[in-house]
Amino acid sequence: MFQGNTLSLTLLKGGYAELHFDAQQGSVNVFNQATLKELIEALAVLDQQADVKGLLLSSGKNVFIAGADITEFGDAFKASESERRAFLSPANQAFNKIESLPYPSVVAINGFALGGGFEVCLACDFRVMSSKAQVGLPETTLGIIPGWGGTVRLPRVIGFDNAAEWIAGGQHKKAMDALRDGAIDAVIEPDLLRDEALKMLMRAANGELEYKARRLQKQSPLKLNEIELGMSVHTSRDAVLAKAGRNYPAPLAAVEVLVKAAEMHRDDALEVEFQAFSDLTQTPQCRALVGMFLNDQFIAAQARKYAKKATKTIAHATALGAGIMGGGIAYQNSIKGFPVMMKDINLASLDLGMSEANKLLAKRVDRGQMKPLDAGTVLSRIMPTLSYDGIENTDIVIEAVVENVKVKSMVLPDVESRLNEEAILASNTSTISIDLLASNLKRPENFCGMHFFNPVHAMPLVEVIRGSKTSEATLAAVVAHAQAMGKKPIVVNDCPGFLVNRVLFPAVFGFDMMIVNGADYQRIDKVMEAWGWPMGPAYLMDVVGIDTAVHCFPTMVEGYPERMGDLCQVSPTRMLFENQRLGQKNGKGFYLYQQDKRGKPGKFVDESVTELFKPVVSAYHQLSDEDIVARYMVPMCIELAHCLEEGIVGSPAEADMAVVFGLGFPAFRGGVFRWMDEMGLARFCEMADRYSSLGKLYEPTPRMREMAANGDSYYG
C-alpha cells in the first residue's frame, strides 16, 4: 500500500493493515521530520483503502521507536513560536489520525518505545509489549515535556498520580511495571509478540474487546472530582520539588500542565501542552540538557572510533593494588564478565577489597537486581593474591597503588618485567605525568593512563591518557576495554593533572583563598550547592580525602607555576592535613563525621576548624553569593580553556562531559563551556577581571578575550 524509506504500509490477510517502522538508514527508528512526513502520507493512503478492519503498528528494529530526532531540536527551538508549532504539528496530526480511525489499532512494542515512540503507542487503542521492552517519556531529562500528546493521553490512561510520576521522573519503565500501572494491556514473550498483537486486533475488530470507550476516555476530561484532583496535585507537586529541586523547571511544569488540562478535552489539552513545551524550549536548562545529550552521543561516537581500531583483545585483567580504587576496578571488571586478578602486598588490603565487592553485590541482590547465584559467580571471578604467579597470562594490568611518584616508579617497571610483551600496562594515577612514569619502562608504547573516579562502580568517566610514546593500538584497546567495563572513556593528552584534576585544583586554590580572605567555608559550601554542585568544595575535599588532595598540590604547582606557584604557601586545606584531619576516612576534616542519633553516618560542624584557620585569615571580607560563585568557578573555567587551547582535550563537548561525569558539574548548566556560552564570553571576561588582583588564576587567556571581542562562542 505504501513503501517509504522509514516505514511501510501493508494489507494483511483478513483485511488488516500493518504499519511497519523500519528505517533503511540507521540502527534505530526515530521520529525525524522525514519519518513523520512518510507517516502522514501512509495514513492518507490508508484513509483511501476500503474494508480495512484494523491497524497493527510494528517495528523491524530491536528498538521500537527511540523517540524524536534530537539533532533536529537545535534549529527548531531557536525558531519563532509559530515555527515551533509547525515543528510539532505533523506528529500531533498523525497521532490524532490514528486515534480517530474508524477501526481499532494495536501496537506491538518490541523494544524501547521512548518519548514520541511511546506517544504514538498511547494514540493506539491497545498496547502489547515484549517482556524485554521498556517504555517511557524521558523528555524532562532534556529540560522539556512531552510535546506529542504524552501529557494528555497518559493521565487519561493510567491516572493523574501515576502520570505525574512517569512524566516528571522521566524514567524508563519495564514491561511488568508498565502493566501494573495500566499503561499497556499485555506482556508477551518476544517471539510471540506480533502474533499475539494481531490476535488482540482481531478480537477488537470482532467486538470482543471494546475500543471506542477507551478512545472517548483519552479524549475527555479526567474523571476526578475537585477534591481528588486537589489532593493529587498537592502530593505530586511536593514529590517533584523534593526530587527535582528548583534548578530543573521541566518536571514541575509537567505537573502544572497535567493540572491545567485535567478538565479539558483532548484538543484544548494539546494546546496547553504546546504552550508549556514551547516556553521550556527557551530556557537555559533546556539548551544545556539537550546539549549534554548530543555531547554524550559525540563522546560515545569518539570512543567507538578508537575501539574499532583495536587489534588487541582483552580477556583477562589485573588490578594492581587492592585499596579503594584497586578493589573498585577489580569489581567493575568482574561484574562485566572479566576474570580479574587483584594483587596486593598486604593481606588486609585484599580482604578489604573482597569485602567491598561483596557489599556491592549484596546490595544488588537485596534490590532484586541480581540473583544470589549470579552474585557468587561475579565474586568468584576476582582472584585475590599476594603473589605475581599467573600475571604473565593477563592482557592488561591497571596499576592503582598509592599516588606517589617514587612508589609508582618502582612498581611499574617491576610488573612490566613480568608481563608478556603484548600486555598493556595502565596507571590509575590521578595527576602524575604519564611520560614521567613511562621513562623507566622498556615498552612505553604499551603504557598509558587509565584514570577512574571514586567510587569506581558509580562514576561513569574514565580518562584515558595518551603519553608521547603511547601507541594508537594501546589507546584503542584501553578505550575498548573501558567501554566493555560499562564506562565512558575520554582520551586526553598527558600533562600534570590531565584534564579533570587539572581544572579542579585551580577551583580548590580559589576556595582556599576565600577562606584566607575571611569567608566561612560552610557558607561557601551552601552557596555552591545551591548553585548546583552535588557538594561544596569543603565537603568534596573531605570525601576525596584531604591527604589525597594535598599530595596532588606539588604536581599542580610545579606543573603550572605561573598560575598556581605561590597558592599553596598559605592553604587551609593543607593545615587540616598537617593536623591529621584527613576527611571522611578518619572521621574529621572540614567537618566531623560520626553516627547521628539514629545510628546513621552524619556530617557535623566542628567549631575548632574555624579556630584552626584564624592565624592565616588576613582580613574578613564580606563576600556576596555572586563573589563566591565567581571566585570558585572562574579559575576552573580558565584552566579548562587552557586545556582546550593546548590540545589536552579534543573538543568543548569532551571537556564538558568530563567535568559533568568526573566532577559532578551541574547537568542543568551543561558543562563549563556551555555555561560560559550561556553567559557570553564578554561578560565572563568582565567577571574574571573584577578579581584580577587575586593573580593569574583569574586571568582569561588571550584567545578567550579574542573570542569575547568577536562575539564568538565555544559551541557557535
Side-chain angles (χ1 to χ4, degrees):
M1 297 168 66
F2 178 86
Q3 178 64 58
N5 293 318
T6 62
L7 57 86
S8 62
L9 184 65
T10 306
L11 194 60
L12 308 175
K13 289 181 181 179
Y16 299 96
E18 181 173 11
L19 184 61
H20 188 66
F21 293 89
D22 194 0
Q24 294 176 13
Q25 294 185 338
S27 58
V28 297
N29 295 316
V30 293
F31 270 137
N32 54 26
Q33 292 299 300
T35 302
L36 290 170
K37 180 175 180 292
E38 289 189 356
L39 177 58
I40 290 171
E41 291 172 2
L43 291 173
V45 171
L46 185 64
D47 212 22
Q48 301 302 312
Q49 185 72 35
D51 302 324
V52 174
K53 295 181 181 178
L55 177 65
L56 174 69
L57 275 69
S58 63
S59 168
K61 305 289 189 188
N62 291 330
V63 169
F64 176 72
I65 299 174
D69 184 350
I70 295 171
T71 62
E72 295 181 343
F73 281 9
D75 291 340
F77 290 4
K78 291 175 187 173
S80 65
E81 181 177 306
S82 62
E83 288 171 311
R84 287 194 290 279
R85 188 183 294 276
F87 176 72
L88 295 180
S89 179
N92 277 322
Q93 179 186 337
F95 297 176
N96 289 353
K97 180 69 176 176
I98 291 170
E99 194 170 54
S100 304
L101 290 170
Y103 39 77
S105 57
V106 175
V107 58
I109 307 170
N110 66 313
F112 283 96
L114 303 174
F118 186 51
E119 285 172 295
V120 73
C121 298
L122 290 170
C124 296
D125 298 314
F126 298 94
R127 290 161 290 283
V128 183
M129 187 171 171
S130 161
S131 59
K132 305 296 183 185
Q134 294 186 37
V135 297
L137 297 173
E139 286 85 351
T140 55
T141 63
L142 296 173
I144 52 176
I145 61 170
W148 290 339
T151 68
V152 179
R153 294 185 177 95
L154 189 63
R156 287 157 177 80
V157 171
I158 68 173
F160 185 100
D161 292 347
N162 280 336
E165 187 267 319
W166 275 55
I167 297 170
Q171 294 178 328
H172 302 174
K173 300 289 184 177
K174 292 182 179 179
M176 293 310 296
D177 294 329
L179 181 66
R180 181 197 64 218
D181 286 351
I184 60 169
D185 300 291
V187 176
I188 306 293
E189 289 305 303
D191 293 346
L192 303 174
L193 180 67
R194 185 179 177 280
D195 290 344
E196 292 300 320
L198 196 53
K199 286 179 186 177
M200 184 175 281
L201 183 61
M202 292 175 182
R203 291 175 63 201
N206 294 336
E208 293 179 47
L209 297 175
E210 173 56 55
Y211 69 91
K212 290 182 180 178
R214 284 172 164 244
R215 287 187 183 179
L216 183 61
Q217 181 175 317
K218 285 192 289 177
Q219 297 175 29
S220 303
L222 282 173
K223 294 178 181 178
L224 288 175
N225 63 41
E226 191 173 336
I227 294 173
E228 290 171 329
L229 181 60
M231 290 176 62
S232 291
V233 169
H234 179 74
T235 303
S236 296
R237 279 177 178 151
D238 287 350
V240 167
L241 271 175
K243 190 170 184 180
R246 298 191 178 276
N247 289 322
Y248 292 85
L252 191 59
V255 174
E256 299 306 326
V257 167
L258 296 186
V259 175
K260 192 172 182 181
E263 298 177 357
M264 296 179 178
H265 287 83
R266 183 191 70 187
D267 291 350
D268 289 338
L270 285 171
E271 179 60 25
V272 170
E273 179 184 82
F274 166 74
Q275 290 297 337
F277 179 97
S278 181
D279 289 346
L280 286 167
T281 65
Q282 304 307 294
T283 63
Q285 290 92 338
C286 174
R287 288 189 288 273
L289 292 168
V290 170
M292 258 193 65
F293 178 90
L294 297 174
N295 285 355
D296 195 30
Q297 288 191 320
F298 176 77
I299 67 167
Q302 293 295 97
R304 285 195 299 271
K305 286 179 185 177
Y306 276 104
K308 281 181 181 178
K309 298 175 184 175
T311 57
K312 300 178 181 179
T313 301
I314 293 174
H316 183 282
T318 294
L320 188 60
I324 292 172
M325 295 304 293
I329 291 165
Y331 167 83
Q332 192 64 27
N333 271 283
S334 178
I335 201 161
K336 291 299 180 179
F338 293 96
V340 55
M341 178 189 293
M342 184 168 64
K343 163 73 171 73
D344 205 283
I345 58 172
N346 188 319
L347 186 59
S349 296
L350 291 174
D351 290 342
L352 178 62
M354 293 303 291
S355 173
E356 288 301 310
N358 200 32
K359 283 180 188 175
L360 291 170
L361 290 167
K363 284 182 182 178
R364 293 177 72 95
V365 171
D366 291 343
R367 292 170 184 162
Q369 298 170 329
M370 180 177 275
K371 295 177 181 176
L373 187 62
D374 294 333
T377 301
V378 171
L379 200 63
S380 70
R381 292 194 195 107
I382 304 175
M383 188 183 83
T385 178
L386 295 170
S387 104
Y388 279 117
D389 291 349
I391 202 169
E392 67 276 4
N393 298 317
T394 202
D395 300 306
I396 184 170
V397 172
I398 305 170
E399 169 272 310
V401 302
V402 64
E403 185 72 357
N404 180 293
V405 66
K406 290 181 179 178
V407 174
K408 288 182 186 290
S409 294
M410 288 189 293
V411 168
L412 288 167
D414 179 42
V415 72
E416 182 194 41
S417 69
R418 303 170 188 272
L419 300 178
N420 70 72
E421 292 195 355
E422 295 298 314
I424 292 169
L425 183 56
S427 176
N428 181 54
T429 177
S430 55
T431 56
I432 302 168
S433 165
I434 295 303
D435 280 347
L436 178 63
L437 294 177
S439 61
N440 294 324
L441 298 179
K442 292 179 180 178
R443 296 186 295 276
E445 68 277 7
N446 289 0
F447 178 66
C448 69
M450 196 177 186
H451 180 209
F452 293 82
F453 293 79
N454 189 30
V456 175
H457 71 278
M459 298 294 278
L461 180 67
V462 173
E463 282 182 305
V464 179
I465 303 105
R466 176 198 283 114
S468 61
K469 294 182 179 178
T470 304
S471 72
E472 289 300 307
T474 294
L475 277 181
V478 171
V479 167
H481 187 60
Q483 284 187 309
M485 289 176 68
K487 298 302 179 184
K488 295 178 182 287
I490 293 178
V491 176
V492 299
N493 285 319
D494 186 30
C495 67
F498 316 132
L499 179 65
V500 172
N501 280 332
R502 176 172 167 180
V503 303
L504 170 63
F505 278 96
V508 172
F509 294 149
F511 162 65
D512 265 355
M513 280 195 284
M514 281 191 273
I515 296 174
V516 170
N517 291 157
D520 175 18
Y521 67 88
Q522 296 169 52
R523 180 161 169 255
I524 296 171
D525 271 6
K526 287 176 182 175
V527 169
M528 294 316 302
E529 286 164 12
W531 193 77
W533 284 95
M535 55 186 76
Y539 188 24
L540 176 65
M541 288 298 96
D542 279 357
V543 171
V544 168
I546 302 291
D547 53 337
T548 302
V550 170
H551 285 151
C552 294
F553 282 5
T555 300
M556 303 307 298
V557 169
E558 292 164 16
Y560 312 101
E562 186 181 52
R563 292 188 294 283
M564 306 180 207
D566 57 356
L567 295 177
C568 291
Q569 301 304 314
V570 180
S571 166
T573 303
R574 184 190 291 279
M575 290 177 71
L576 292 176
F577 171 69
E578 290 168 349
N579 283 270
Q580 305 303 310
R581 301 184 70 98
L582 308 183
Q584 281 187 341
K585 63 179 66 175
N586 75 338
K588 53 183 182 179
F590 281 95
Y591 300 96
L592 274 179
Y593 299 90
Q594 54 196 29
Q595 289 186 341
D596 62 18
K597 293 177 182 177
R598 294 172 297 173
K600 294 185 177 181
K603 172 172 70 102
F604 301 92
V605 173
D606 186 346
E607 299 297 343
S608 69
V609 172
T610 302
E611 291 298 315
L612 179 67
F613 292 158
K614 276 186 178 179
V616 300
V617 175
S618 58
Y620 284 90
H621 296 292
Q622 189 65 14
L623 297 181
S624 67
D625 289 0
E626 187 182 59
D627 287 327
I628 289 171
V629 170
R631 288 185 62 168
Y632 187 66
M633 287 305 307
V634 167
M636 179 181 289
C637 294
I638 291 172
E639 201 60 37
L640 198 62
H642 280 289
C643 290
L644 183 65
E645 292 170 26
E646 293 167 18
I648 300 303
V649 65
S651 65
E654 290 162 288
D656 275 350
M657 296 311 282
V659 295
V660 170
F661 288 142
L663 293 178
F665 184 90
F668 69 89
R669 298 190 187 276
V672 166
F673 286 126
R674 184 82 60 184
W675 178 61
M676 286 194 285
D677 276 0
E678 191 68 41
M679 180 189 303
L681 275 173
R683 189 174 151 212
F684 175 84
C685 289
E686 289 172 8
M687 178 174 68
D689 288 342
R690 290 202 297 271
Y691 306 98
S692 59
S693 62
L694 297 173
K696 290 189 175 293
L697 209 60
Y698 290 84
E699 185 178 300
T701 70
R703 174 64 183 146
M704 293 175 84
R705 293 195 186 279
E706 180 186 342
M707 290 175 69
N710 295 335
D712 293 337
S713 61
Y714 286 104
Y715 287 97

